[in-house]
Coordinates of all heavy atoms in Angstrom, one line a residue:
M13 N 5.3 29.9 4.2 CA 6.1 28.9 3.5 C 5.3 27.7 3.1 O 4.5 27.2 3.9 CB 7.3 28.5 4.4 CG 8.3 27.6 3.7 SD 9.7 27.3 4.8 CE 9.6 25.5 4.8
R14 N 5.5 27.3 1.9 CA 4.7 26.1 1.4 C 5.5 24.8 1.7 O 6.7 24.8 1.5 CB 4.6 26.3 -0.1 CG 3.5 25.4 -0.7 CD 3.2 25.8 -2.1 NE 2.3 24.7 -2.6 CZ 1.6 24.9 -3.7 NH1 1.7 26.0 -4.3 NH2 0.8 23.9 -4.1
T15 N 4.8 23.9 2.1 CA 5.4 22.6 2.4 C 5.0 21.6 1.3 O 4.9 21.9 0.2 CB 5.0 22.1 3.8 OG1 3.6 22.0 3.9 CG2 5.5 23.0 4.9
A16 N 4.8 20.3 1.7 CA 4.5 19.3 0.7 C 3.2 19.5 0.0 O 2.2 20.0 0.6 CB 4.4 17.9 1.5
R17 N 3.1 19.2 -1.3 CA 1.9 19.3 -2.1 C 1.0 18.1 -1.8 O 1.5 17.0 -1.5 CB 2.3 19.3 -3.6 CG 3.0 20.5 -4.0 CD 3.2 20.5 -5.5 NE 1.9 20.6 -6.2 CZ 1.8 20.4 -7.5 NH1 2.8 20.2 -8.2 NH2 0.6 20.5 -8.0
I18 N -0.2 18.3 -1.8 CA -1.2 17.2 -1.7 C -1.2 16.5 -3.0 O -1.6 17.0 -4.1 CB -2.6 17.7 -1.3 CG1 -2.5 18.3 0.1 CG2 -3.6 16.6 -1.3 CD1 -3.7 19.0 0.6
A19 N -0.9 15.2 -3.0 CA -0.8 14.4 -4.3 C -2.1 13.9 -4.7 O -2.2 13.4 -5.8 CB 0.2 13.3 -4.1
S20 N -3.1 13.9 -3.9 CA -4.4 13.3 -4.2 C -5.5 14.2 -3.8 O -5.5 14.9 -2.8 CB -4.5 11.9 -3.5 OG -5.8 11.4 -3.7
A21 N -6.5 14.2 -4.7 CA -7.7 15.0 -4.4 C -8.6 14.2 -3.5 O -9.7 14.7 -3.0 CB -8.5 15.3 -5.7
F22 N -8.3 12.9 -3.2 CA -9.1 12.1 -2.3 C -8.7 12.1 -0.9 O -7.5 12.3 -0.6 CB -9.1 10.7 -2.9 CG -9.5 10.6 -4.3 CD1 -8.6 10.4 -5.3 CD2 -10.9 10.7 -4.7 CE1 -9.0 10.4 -6.7 CE2 -11.3 10.7 -6.0 CZ -10.3 10.5 -7.0
T23 N -9.6 11.8 0.0 CA -9.3 11.7 1.4 C -8.6 10.4 1.7 O -9.0 9.3 1.3 CB -10.6 11.8 2.2 OG1 -11.3 13.0 1.8 CG2 -10.3 11.8 3.7
E24 N -7.5 10.5 2.5 CA -6.8 9.3 2.9 C -7.7 8.5 3.8 O -8.3 9.0 4.8 CB -5.5 9.7 3.6 CG -4.7 8.5 4.0 CD -3.4 8.9 4.8 OE1 -3.1 10.1 4.8 OE2 -2.8 8.0 5.3
P25 N -7.8 7.2 3.5 CA -8.6 6.3 4.3 C -8.0 6.1 5.7 O -6.8 6.4 5.9 CB -8.6 5.0 3.6 CG -7.7 5.1 2.4 CD -7.2 6.5 2.4
E26 N -8.8 5.6 6.6 CA -8.3 5.4 8.0 C -7.1 4.4 7.9 O -7.1 3.5 7.1 CB -9.5 4.7 8.8 CG -9.2 4.7 10.3 CD -10.4 4.3 11.0 OE1 -11.5 4.8 10.7 OE2 -10.3 3.4 11.9
R27 N -6.2 4.6 8.8 CA -5.0 3.8 8.8 C -5.3 2.5 9.6 O -5.5 2.6 10.8 CB -3.8 4.5 9.4 CG -3.5 5.7 8.4 CD -2.3 6.5 8.9 NE -2.0 7.5 7.9 CZ -1.0 8.4 8.0 NH1 -0.2 8.3 9.1 NH2 -0.8 9.3 7.1
P28 N -5.1 1.3 9.0 CA -5.4 0.1 9.7 C -4.4 -0.3 10.7 O -3.2 0.2 10.6 CB -5.5 -1.0 8.6 CG -4.7 -0.4 7.5 CD -4.8 1.1 7.6
K29 N -4.7 -1.2 11.6 CA -3.7 -1.7 12.5 C -2.6 -2.4 11.8 O -2.9 -3.2 10.8 CB -4.4 -2.6 13.5 CG -3.6 -3.1 14.6 CD -4.4 -4.0 15.6 CE -3.4 -4.4 16.7 NZ -3.7 -5.7 17.3
G30 N -1.4 -2.2 12.2 CA -0.3 -2.9 11.6 C 0.2 -2.3 10.3 O 1.0 -2.9 9.6
L31 N -0.3 -1.1 10.0 CA 0.1 -0.4 8.7 C 1.6 -0.1 8.8 O 2.1 0.6 9.7 CB -0.7 0.8 8.5 CG -0.3 1.6 7.2 CD1 -0.7 0.8 6.0 CD2 -1.1 3.0 7.2
Q32 N 2.4 -0.6 7.9 CA 3.8 -0.4 7.8 C 4.2 0.6 6.8 O 5.1 1.5 7.0 CB 4.6 -1.7 7.5 CG 4.4 -2.8 8.5 CD 5.0 -2.5 9.8 OE1 6.1 -1.9 9.9 NE2 4.3 -2.8 10.9
I33 N 3.5 0.6 5.6 CA 3.8 1.5 4.5 C 2.5 1.8 3.8 O 1.6 0.9 3.6 CB 4.8 0.9 3.5 CG1 6.0 0.4 4.1 CG2 5.1 1.9 2.4 CD1 6.9 -0.5 3.2
R34 N 2.3 3.0 3.3 CA 1.2 3.4 2.5 C 1.7 4.1 1.3 O 2.4 5.1 1.4 CB 0.2 4.3 3.2 CG -0.9 4.8 2.3 CD -2.1 5.4 3.1 NE -3.0 4.3 3.6 CZ -4.0 4.4 4.4 NH1 -4.2 5.6 5.0 NH2 -4.7 3.4 4.8
F35 N 1.4 3.5 0.1 CA 1.9 4.1 -1.2 C 0.6 4.8 -1.8 O -0.5 4.2 -1.8 CB 2.4 3.0 -2.2 CG 3.7 2.4 -1.7 CD1 3.7 1.1 -1.2 CD2 4.9 3.1 -1.8 CE1 4.8 0.5 -0.8 CE2 6.1 2.4 -1.4 CZ 6.0 1.2 -0.9
I36 N 0.8 5.9 -2.5 CA -0.2 6.5 -3.2 C -0.1 6.0 -4.7 O 1.0 5.8 -5.2 CB -0.2 8.0 -3.2 CG1 -1.5 8.6 -3.8 CG2 1.0 8.6 -3.8 CD1 -1.7 10.0 -3.5
T37 N -1.2 5.7 -5.3 CA -1.2 5.1 -6.7 C -1.3 6.2 -7.7 O -1.6 7.4 -7.4 CB -2.3 4.1 -6.9 OG1 -3.5 4.9 -7.0 CG2 -2.4 3.1 -5.8
V38 N -1.0 5.9 -8.9 CA -1.1 6.9 -10.0 C -2.6 7.3 -10.2 O -2.9 8.4 -10.7 CB -0.5 6.4 -11.3 CG1 1.0 6.3 -11.2 CG2 -1.1 5.1 -11.8
G39 N -3.5 6.5 -9.8 CA -4.9 6.8 -9.9 C -5.5 7.6 -8.7 O -6.6 8.0 -8.6
G40 N -4.6 7.8 -7.7 CA -5.0 8.6 -6.5 C -5.5 7.8 -5.4 O -6.0 8.4 -4.4
S41 N -5.4 6.5 -5.5 CA -5.8 5.6 -4.4 C -4.6 5.3 -3.5 O -3.5 5.9 -3.7 CB -6.5 4.4 -4.9 OG -7.1 3.7 -3.9
Y42 N -4.7 4.2 -2.7 CA -3.6 3.9 -1.8 C -3.4 2.4 -1.8 O -4.4 1.6 -2.0 CB -3.9 4.3 -0.4 CG -4.0 5.8 -0.3 CD1 -5.3 6.5 -0.4 CD2 -2.9 6.6 -0.2 CE1 -5.4 7.8 -0.4 CE2 -3.0 8.0 -0.1 CZ -4.2 8.6 -0.2 OH -4.3 10.0 -0.2
V43 N -2.2 2.0 -1.6 CA -1.8 0.6 -1.4 C -1.2 0.5 0.0 O -0.2 1.2 0.3 CB -0.8 0.1 -2.5 CG1 -0.4 -1.3 -2.2 CG2 -1.4 0.2 -3.9
D44 N -1.8 -0.3 0.8 CA -1.3 -0.5 2.2 C -0.5 -1.8 2.3 O -0.9 -2.8 1.9 CB -2.5 -0.6 3.1 CG -3.2 0.7 3.3 OD1 -2.7 1.8 2.9 OD2 -4.3 0.7 4.0
V45 N 0.6 -1.7 3.0 CA 1.4 -2.8 3.4 C 1.1 -3.0 4.9 O 1.5 -2.0 5.7 CB 2.9 -2.7 3.1 CG1 3.6 -3.9 3.7 CG2 3.1 -2.5 1.6
T46 N 0.6 -4.1 5.3 CA 0.4 -4.3 6.7 C 1.1 -5.6 7.2 O 1.4 -6.5 6.4 CB -1.2 -4.5 7.0 OG1 -1.7 -5.5 6.2 CG2 -1.9 -3.2 6.8
G47 N 1.4 -5.6 8.5 CA 2.1 -6.7 9.0 C 2.8 -6.3 10.3 O 2.5 -5.3 10.9
A48 N 3.7 -7.2 10.8 CA 4.3 -7.0 12.1 C 5.7 -6.2 12.1 O 6.2 -6.0 13.1 CB 4.5 -8.3 12.8
G49 N 6.2 -5.9 10.9 CA 7.5 -5.2 10.9 C 8.6 -6.0 10.4 O 8.5 -7.1 9.9
H50 N 9.8 -5.4 10.5 CA 11.0 -6.0 9.9 C 11.3 -7.4 10.1 O 11.8 -8.1 9.2 CB 12.2 -5.1 10.2 CG 12.4 -3.9 9.4 ND1 12.7 -3.9 8.1 CD2 12.2 -2.6 9.8 CE1 12.7 -2.7 7.6 NE2 12.4 -1.8 8.6
D51 N 11.1 -7.9 11.3 CA 11.5 -9.3 11.6 C 10.5 -10.3 11.2 O 10.7 -11.5 11.4 CB 11.8 -9.4 13.1 CG 13.0 -8.5 13.5 OD1 13.9 -8.3 12.7 OD2 13.0 -8.1 14.7
S52 N 9.4 -9.9 10.7 CA 8.3 -10.8 10.4 C 8.2 -11.1 8.9 O 8.6 -10.3 8.1 CB 7.0 -10.2 10.9 OG 5.9 -11.0 10.5
D53 N 7.8 -12.3 8.6 CA 7.5 -12.7 7.2 C 6.0 -12.7 6.9 O 5.6 -13.3 6.0 CB 8.2 -14.0 6.9 CG 7.5 -15.2 7.6 OD1 6.8 -15.0 8.5 OD2 7.8 -16.3 7.2
K54 N 5.3 -12.1 7.8 CA 3.8 -12.1 7.6 C 3.3 -10.7 7.3 O 2.7 -10.0 8.1 CB 3.2 -12.6 8.9 CG 3.6 -14.0 9.3 CD 2.8 -14.6 10.3 CE 3.1 -16.0 10.8 NZ 4.0 -16.8 9.9
H55 N 3.5 -10.3 6.0 CA 3.0 -9.0 5.5 C 2.2 -9.3 4.3 O 2.3 -10.3 3.6 CB 4.2 -8.1 5.1 CG 5.0 -7.7 6.3 ND1 6.1 -8.4 6.7 CD2 4.9 -6.6 7.1 CE1 6.6 -7.8 7.8 NE2 5.9 -6.7 8.0
R56 N 1.3 -8.3 4.0 CA 0.5 -8.4 2.8 C 0.3 -6.9 2.3 O 0.5 -6.0 3.0 CB -0.9 -9.0 3.1 CG -1.7 -8.2 4.2 CD -3.0 -8.8 4.5 NE -3.9 -8.7 3.3 CZ -4.8 -9.7 3.0 NH1 -4.9 -10.7 3.7 NH2 -5.6 -9.5 1.9
W57 N -0.1 -6.8 1.0 CA -0.5 -5.5 0.5 C -1.9 -5.6 0.0 O -2.3 -6.7 -0.5 CB 0.5 -4.9 -0.5 CG 0.7 -5.7 -1.8 CD1 1.7 -6.5 -2.1 CD2 -0.1 -5.6 -3.0 NE1 1.6 -7.0 -3.4 CE2 0.4 -6.4 -3.9 CE3 -1.3 -4.9 -3.3 CZ2 -0.1 -6.6 -5.2 CZ3 -1.8 -5.0 -4.5 CH2 -1.2 -5.9 -5.5
D58 N -2.6 -4.5 0.1 CA -4.0 -4.4 -0.4 C -4.2 -3.0 -1.0 O -3.8 -2.0 -0.5 CB -5.0 -4.5 0.8 CG -4.9 -5.9 1.5 OD1 -5.6 -6.8 1.0 OD2 -4.2 -6.0 2.5
C59 N -4.8 -3.0 -2.2 CA -5.0 -1.8 -3.0 C -6.4 -1.3 -2.7 O -7.4 -2.1 -2.9 CB -4.8 -2.0 -4.4 SG -5.1 -0.5 -5.4
H60 N -6.6 -0.1 -2.3 CA -7.9 0.5 -2.0 C -8.6 0.8 -3.3 O -9.8 1.0 -3.4 CB -7.8 1.8 -1.2 CG -7.4 1.5 0.2 ND1 -8.3 1.5 1.3 CD2 -6.2 1.3 0.8 CE1 -7.7 1.3 2.4 NE2 -6.4 1.2 2.2
G61 N -7.8 1.0 -4.4 CA -8.4 1.4 -5.7 C -9.1 0.2 -6.4 O -10.3 0.2 -6.7
C62 N -8.3 -0.8 -6.8 CA -8.8 -1.9 -7.7 C -9.1 -3.1 -6.8 O -9.5 -4.1 -7.4 CB -7.8 -2.2 -8.7 SG -6.3 -3.0 -8.2
K63 N -8.8 -3.1 -5.6 CA -9.1 -4.2 -4.6 C -8.1 -5.4 -4.9 O -8.4 -6.5 -4.3 CB -10.5 -4.7 -4.7 CG -11.6 -3.6 -4.6 CD -11.5 -2.8 -3.4 CE -12.6 -1.8 -3.3 NZ -12.2 -0.7 -2.4
D64 N -7.1 -5.2 -5.6 CA -6.1 -6.3 -5.8 C -5.3 -6.4 -4.5 O -5.3 -5.6 -3.6 CB -5.1 -5.9 -6.9 CG -4.3 -7.1 -7.4 OD1 -4.6 -8.3 -7.0 OD2 -3.5 -7.0 -8.3
T65 N -4.7 -7.6 -4.3 CA -3.9 -7.9 -3.1 C -2.7 -8.7 -3.4 O -2.6 -9.2 -4.5 CB -4.9 -8.6 -2.1 OG1 -4.2 -8.7 -0.8 CG2 -5.3 -9.9 -2.6
S66 N -1.8 -8.9 -2.4 CA -0.7 -9.7 -2.6 C -1.1 -11.1 -3.0 O -2.1 -11.6 -2.5 CB 0.2 -9.6 -1.4 OG -0.5 -9.7 -0.2
R67 N -0.3 -11.8 -3.8 CA -0.6 -13.1 -4.2 C -0.5 -14.2 -3.1 O -1.2 -15.2 -3.1 CB 0.3 -13.5 -5.4 CG 0.0 -12.7 -6.6 CD -1.4 -12.9 -7.2 NE -1.6 -12.1 -8.3 CZ -2.3 -10.9 -8.3 NH1 -2.8 -10.5 -7.1 NH2 -2.5 -10.2 -9.3
F68 N 0.4 -14.0 -2.2 CA 0.5 -14.9 -1.1 C 0.4 -14.1 0.2 O 1.3 -13.8 0.9 CB 1.9 -15.6 -1.2 CG 2.1 -16.3 -2.5 CD1 2.9 -15.7 -3.4 CD2 1.5 -17.5 -2.7 CE1 3.1 -16.4 -4.6 CE2 1.7 -18.2 -3.9 CZ 2.5 -17.6 -4.9
P69 N -0.9 -13.7 0.5 CA -1.1 -12.8 1.6 C -0.5 -13.4 2.9 O -0.6 -14.6 3.2 CB -2.6 -12.8 1.8 CG -3.1 -13.1 0.4 CD -2.1 -14.0 -0.2
E70 N 0.2 -12.5 3.6 CA 0.7 -12.7 4.9 C 1.9 -13.7 4.9 O 2.1 -14.5 5.8 CB -0.3 -13.2 5.9 CG -1.4 -12.1 6.1 CD -2.5 -12.4 7.1 OE1 -2.3 -13.4 7.8 OE2 -3.5 -11.7 7.0
K71 N 2.6 -13.8 3.7 CA 3.8 -14.6 3.6 C 4.9 -13.9 2.9 O 5.4 -14.4 1.9 CB 3.4 -15.9 2.9 CG 2.5 -16.9 3.6 CD 2.4 -18.2 2.9 CE 1.5 -19.1 3.7 NZ 1.3 -20.4 3.0
D72 N 5.3 -12.8 3.4 CA 6.4 -12.0 2.7 C 7.0 -11.1 3.7 O 6.4 -10.5 4.6 CB 5.8 -11.2 1.6 CG 6.8 -11.1 0.4 OD1 8.0 -11.4 0.6 OD2 6.3 -10.8 -0.7
Y73 N 8.3 -11.0 3.6 CA 9.1 -10.0 4.4 C 8.9 -8.6 3.9 O 8.6 -8.4 2.7 CB 10.6 -10.3 4.4 CG 10.9 -11.5 5.2 CD1 11.1 -12.8 4.7 CD2 11.1 -11.4 6.6 CE1 11.4 -13.9 5.4 CE2 11.4 -12.5 7.4 CZ 11.6 -13.7 6.8 OH 11.9 -14.8 7.6
L74 N 9.1 -7.7 4.8 CA 8.9 -6.2 4.4 C 9.8 -5.8 3.3 O 9.3 -5.1 2.3 CB 9.1 -5.4 5.7 CG 8.7 -4.0 5.6 CD1 7.2 -3.9 5.4 CD2 9.0 -3.3 7.0
F75 N 11.0 -6.2 3.2 CA 11.9 -5.8 2.2 C 11.4 -6.3 0.8 O 11.7 -5.6 -0.2 CB 13.4 -6.2 2.4 CG 13.6 -7.7 2.2 CD1 13.9 -8.2 1.0 CD2 13.5 -8.5 3.3 CE1 14.1 -9.5 0.8 CE2 13.8 -9.9 3.1 CZ 14.0 -10.4 1.9
S76 N 10.8 -7.4 0.8 CA 10.3 -8.0 -0.5 C 9.0 -7.4 -0.9 O 8.8 -7.1 -2.1 CB 10.2 -9.5 -0.3 OG 9.7 -10.1 -1.4
I77 N 8.1 -7.3 0.0 CA 6.7 -6.9 -0.3 C 6.7 -5.4 -0.6 O 5.8 -4.9 -1.4 CB 5.7 -7.3 0.8 CG1 4.3 -7.4 0.2 CG2 5.8 -6.3 2.0 CD1 3.3 -8.1 1.0
R78 N 7.6 -4.7 -0.1 CA 7.7 -3.2 -0.3 C 7.8 -2.9 -1.8 O 7.1 -2.1 -2.4 CB 8.9 -2.6 0.4 CG 9.1 -1.1 0.1 CD 10.4 -0.6 0.7 NE 10.5 -0.8 2.1 CZ 11.4 -1.6 2.7 NH1 12.3 -2.2 2.0 NH2 11.5 -1.7 4.0
E79 N 8.7 -3.7 -2.5 CA 8.9 -3.5 -3.9 C 7.6 -3.8 -4.7 O 7.2 -3.1 -5.6 CB 10.0 -4.4 -4.5 CG 11.4 -3.9 -4.3 CD 12.4 -4.8 -4.9 OE1 12.1 -5.4 -5.9 OE2 13.5 -4.9 -4.3
K80 N 7.0 -4.9 -4.3 CA 5.8 -5.4 -5.0 C 4.6 -4.4 -4.9 O 3.9 -4.1 -5.8 CB 5.3 -6.8 -4.5 CG 6.4 -7.8 -4.8 CD 6.1 -9.1 -4.1 CE 7.3 -10.1 -4.2 NZ 7.2 -11.2 -3.3
A81 N 4.4 -3.9 -3.7 CA 3.4 -2.9 -3.4 C 3.7 -1.6 -4.1 O 2.7 -1.0 -4.7 CB 3.2 -2.7 -1.9
N82 N 4.9 -1.2 -4.1 CA 5.3 0.1 -4.8 C 5.1 -0.1 -6.3 O 4.6 0.9 -6.9 CB 6.7 0.4 -4.4 CG 7.0 1.9 -4.7 OD1 6.1 2.7 -4.9 ND2 8.3 2.2 -4.8
E83 N 5.4 -1.2 -6.8 CA 5.2 -1.5 -8.3 C 3.7 -1.4 -8.6 O 3.4 -0.8 -9.6 CB 5.8 -2.8 -8.6 CG 5.7 -3.1 -10.1 CD 6.2 -4.5 -10.5 OE1 7.0 -5.1 -9.7 OE2 5.9 -5.0 -11.6
H84 N 2.9 -2.0 -7.8 CA 1.5 -1.9 -8.1 C 1.0 -0.5 -8.0 O 0.2 -0.1 -8.9 CB 0.7 -2.8 -7.1 CG -0.8 -2.8 -7.3 ND1 -1.4 -3.6 -8.3 CD2 -1.8 -1.9 -6.9 CE1 -2.7 -3.3 -8.3 NE2 -2.9 -2.3 -7.5
A85 N 1.4 0.2 -7.0 CA 1.0 1.6 -6.9 C 1.4 2.5 -8.1 O 0.7 3.4 -8.5 CB 1.6 2.3 -5.6
G86 N 2.6 2.1 -8.7 CA 3.0 2.8 -9.9 C 2.3 2.5 -11.2 O 2.4 3.1 -12.2
L87 N 1.5 1.4 -11.1 CA 0.7 1.0 -12.3 C -0.8 1.1 -12.2 O -1.5 1.2 -13.2 CB 1.0 -0.5 -12.6 CG 2.5 -0.9 -12.9 CD1 2.6 -2.4 -12.9 CD2 2.9 -0.3 -14.2
C88 N -1.3 1.1 -11.0 CA -2.8 1.1 -10.8 C -3.4 2.4 -11.0 O -3.1 3.5 -10.5 CB -3.1 0.7 -9.3 SG -4.8 0.4 -9.0
R89 N -4.4 2.4 -11.9 CA -5.1 3.7 -12.3 C -6.5 3.7 -11.8 O -7.3 4.6 -12.1 CB -5.1 3.8 -13.8 CG -3.7 3.9 -14.4 CD -3.8 4.1 -15.9 NE -2.4 4.1 -16.4 CZ -1.6 5.2 -16.4 NH1 -2.0 6.3 -15.9 NH2 -0.4 5.1 -16.9
A90 N -6.9 2.8 -10.9 CA -8.2 2.8 -10.3 C -8.3 3.9 -9.3 O -7.4 4.1 -8.5 CB -8.5 1.5 -9.6
I91 N -9.4 4.6 -9.4 CA -9.6 5.7 -8.4 C -10.4 5.1 -7.2 O -11.1 4.2 -7.3 CB -10.4 6.9 -9.0 CG1 -11.8 6.5 -9.4 CG2 -9.6 7.5 -10.1 CD1 -12.7 7.7 -9.7
P92 N -10.3 5.7 -6.0 CA -11.0 5.3 -4.9 C -12.5 5.6 -5.1 O -12.9 6.7 -5.5 CB -10.4 6.0 -3.7 CG -9.8 7.2 -4.3 CD -9.4 6.8 -5.7
L93 N -13.4 4.6 -4.7 CA -14.8 4.8 -4.9 C -15.5 5.2 -3.7 O -16.7 5.4 -3.7 CB -15.4 3.5 -5.5 CG -14.8 3.1 -6.9 CD1 -15.5 1.8 -7.3 CD2 -15.1 4.2 -7.9
T94 N -14.8 5.3 -2.6 CA -15.5 5.7 -1.3 C -15.0 7.0 -0.8 O -13.9 7.4 -1.2 CB -15.3 4.6 -0.2 OG1 -13.9 4.4 -0.1 CG2 -16.0 3.4 -0.6
Ligands
LIG125 ZN1 -4.8 -1.3 -7.6

């Protein structure tokens, strides 16, 4: 039986401490949301492809930064270089 398809030809990078969400980008890279979880306002996102990051690092709630990180993942066409 076939299960999930592999969406990227690239190897998933190591998962950092505090990783809450990892989005795959349209370019095959990843956007990581890291922080302390639901009750914290100290989250950030970082793109492995284009090296962009959240505008106010470590100053956002998970419900808010989730949308921003997912939006970036839906637009970013940079491929991972490592
Ligand atoms: Zn990016």
Side-chain angles (χ1 to χ4, degrees):
M13 184 173 125
R14 193 169 175 164
T15 55
R17 291 183 68 187
I18 296 173
S20 172
F22 304 102
T23 304
E24 184 181 348
E26 193 171 313
R27 295 182 178 182
K29 186 177 182 212
L31 181 65
Q32 298 294 321
I33 307 169
R34 173 166 277 171
F35 293 105
I36 190 165
T37 72
V38 293
S41 191
Y42 298 93
V43 176
D44 288 352
V45 175
T46 53
H50 278 291
D51 295 331
S52 172
D53 67 347
K54 300 193 181 340
H55 294 89
R56 61 179 292 145
W57 64 260
D58 296 276
C59 179
H60 288 262
C62 72
K63 312 301 184 201
D64 197 4
T65 186
S66 42
R67 293 295 176 262
F68 303 102
E70 301 181 15
K71 289 187 180 177
D72 214 344
Y73 284 98
L74 195 56
F75 73 86
S76 174
I77 204 163
R78 178 188 301 115
E79 278 184 37
K80 297 167 189 169
N82 196 17
E83 182 180 345
H84 181 85
L87 297 171
C88 185
R89 298 181 184 279
I91 65 167
L93 299 178
T94 55

